[in-house]
Amino acid sequence: MRDAIAADVAPRRFVVVERHELGPRLYVAGRRIHEYASGLVLIAAAVLLWVTGRQPPFHAGAIVGATGGWLVAKDWNDLIPARRDTTRWTMLRHHLPHSLRTWRRASWLPGALGALTGAVGIVAAASALAPGAVSRHSFIASLGAPVLAADVDVVRLPLGVLLMALSMPIARRRRRAWAFAVGTLLAVALLDVLRGPALEEALLVLGLAAATIAARAAFHVDPDPGTLRVALRRGPAIAGLAYAVSLIAVWAASGHTSEPVDWPGALTQAAAMLVLMPGPVAFTDDLVWLPVAVGAIGFAGAVALGWAIGRPLRTALLKPDEQAMRRGGEIVRTNGYDTLSFFKLRRDTDYLFNEDHRAFLSYRVEAGVLIVSGDPVGVAAGVPGLVRDAAALAERQGLKLAVLGAGPSFDGVYRAAGLRSCYLGDEAIIDTATFTLDGRRMRKVRQSVTRLERAGYHLDLHRLGELPTATLQELDAISYGWRGDAPERGFSMALDGIGGTHQADTTLIVARDASGAIRGFLHLVPCFGRPAVSLAAMRRDRDTVNGLTEYMVARGVDMLQARGVREVSLNFVVFARWLRDPHGRVERLLGKVASSRPARHYQIASLHRFSAKFHPRWERRDLWFEGLLGLPRAAVAALLAEGQIPRLCRPRWGRRPPLARHHSRHVRLMAPSSTTPTVPPVEAGSGLASEERGPST
């Protein structure tokens, strides 16, 4: 193809720029010129200048060499024949093309425009504060209007501060920030003309405004529709409050001024201090800092206004409605092959469906990241389009995309969406056919089981929807006694609570003592499409003897095997490989960190020891994140979603009602689904923490 293009254009033009889907391509005399070739030429020229001892003005040799190095660095893929022509051209760094991402031309431009806008704001504010800033030869000075000249700087200062505040939203592609920045830049250019012979500055600012207008398509982050209304409604009130504070400060310091302060002077001085301009009142040495302190209030107000204007559309965490829950449940029952599929049916996450509503994912927004809970569920053909929609939703809201607890099924889809993977941990899965208490390695578990059975303990297996209210109340008391008022933890590998019509077909394995009282239980959720279950939660009475959890798991596995269940997903252990079988010195060191005393809060080592007692099969789970430097941000979002680090504010969803109260209202209303495949009536989930499904982050 390249040779055909070269043969076609060479006779007609010496230099040809081809518009290719991966970016512009340059041909000279019919030959393709790569950027790395141009960079090598520039580096050679810089070396030649250095060897010959020539010193071009303004360090031109160093600039030429640095430019050549940058061209080679950004085009390094084309140096390797196997990787040549595989990246998409950009001004800064070439990227691999991602089929599930919308490619936007000049994606680097918002960052550059944001930096330039902030620089213009700094210059505008600094020049307004400079003494004698208004030129004697300015247009307004020629009109003999000194008061108007002072007003120009009074307006110019907040405009400069506003540009500084808008620089970050502009760099983050906020659409509304783009509109306000264009208007503010035009106003600054007009003031440059009015202030004095600053035609060059005005032309530079106008050029920046024109470039910002031309790059409109790059600003695709939707604004929050309520932000502007709130700013317009509260702006005057905030301005009035700031002015009142400034006026009170002037009167409070009236005894420390060079001359008496009257009402007109106080009013003028209060307004001047808010914009860091000199006023008619001079304070003594003890309070010389007061104008700066009051001016900081005005500066903070302008910054807050700029942030509010550029704030992106917020994703309100709304509980999914009954229709969405019902449709999600149907998809899980039809296509929920993965052991984590049932955990998508949480009420504290939002749902995203594909176009034909045959696949969906659940997500939450944390720390500026749209974090997806596990792999999407549904028809495999609809997953790529669903991930594309999730990436587009994240872009519209100025968020990064991440997937927590993903398996290997959709690795290619995530790569096509521009995500990178990182090892997160392993899921412990027990094979019920090979599980046995015999042998030396199961001695401790066997001893716990024997001790509990001698004490008269036994297990019952129930469907959650069939339990009477009295039993549900006992289970609720056990659950409350274990967790207390602490909120439920978990996101991708646990449920938000026990209850709801969608959980009627889940299973409870209840442990009773010799008197018949409930002392603990396992909550298991279905894995449709395969004879497997996942552990959602483990609860026990704190006063029971040691070994109750081992007893419930060991004998529960036997009961599940008798009902046709072949696999039980027991727990998810973060960084389990580092503790179990580290690869190299780095992982051994990380394993020691994960089991150290500061990390005990996350119960990583204790959960691994508990799960390893049953000698399960370990299956890897990954964290997919966006960008070279996106891993720390995605990790923080995952920790917040899983409840492993405290929040600065309360979540926007309420606490779930107690178990019995919720079931008495809803569970019995659920009829068996006609779409439910033939699977064993017992099904289980994936737990958290030492008595839940384990810390998933």
Side-chain angles (χ1 to χ4, degrees), residues 101 394 399-402 418-420 624-631:
R101 288 279 185 166
L399 305 171
K400 297 295 185 181
L401 182 64
L419 302 183
R420 303 167 183 268
W624 290 82
F625 59 94
E626 183 179 350
L628 284 173
L629 303 177
L631 180 57

Side-chain angles (χ1 to χ4, degrees), residues 42 125 289 320 398 430 469 494 571:
L42 293 177
W289 53 267
I430 298 176
T469 302
N571 270 316

Side-chain angles (χ1 to χ4, degrees), residues 62 82 114 214 238 246 280 307 330 372 374 379 397 419 478 590 603:
I238 294 175
S246 179
W307 176 84
E330 293 173 358
V372 178
V379 178
Q397 298 182 355
L419 302 183
I478 294 292
L590 294 174
Q603 300 177 335

Side-chain angles (χ1 to χ4, degrees), residues 433-479:
T434 60
F435 179 78
T436 178
L437 290 177
D438 298 333
R440 180 175 179 81
R441 65 177 188 174
M442 298 295 293
R443 180 172 57 88
K444 292 184 178 180
V445 177
R446 187 169 60 250
Q447 289 175 350
S448 298
V449 172
T450 302
R451 182 170 59 253
L452 269 295
E453 288 180 340
R454 287 177 177 174
Y457 280 76
H458 63 280
L459 299 181
D460 295 329
L461 189 148
H462 308 276
R463 287 179 67 248
L464 184 61
E466 297 174 347
L467 290 174
T469 302
T471 302
L472 293 172
Q473 290 175 344
E474 289 186 72
L475 296 175
D476 190 43
I478 294 292
S479 183

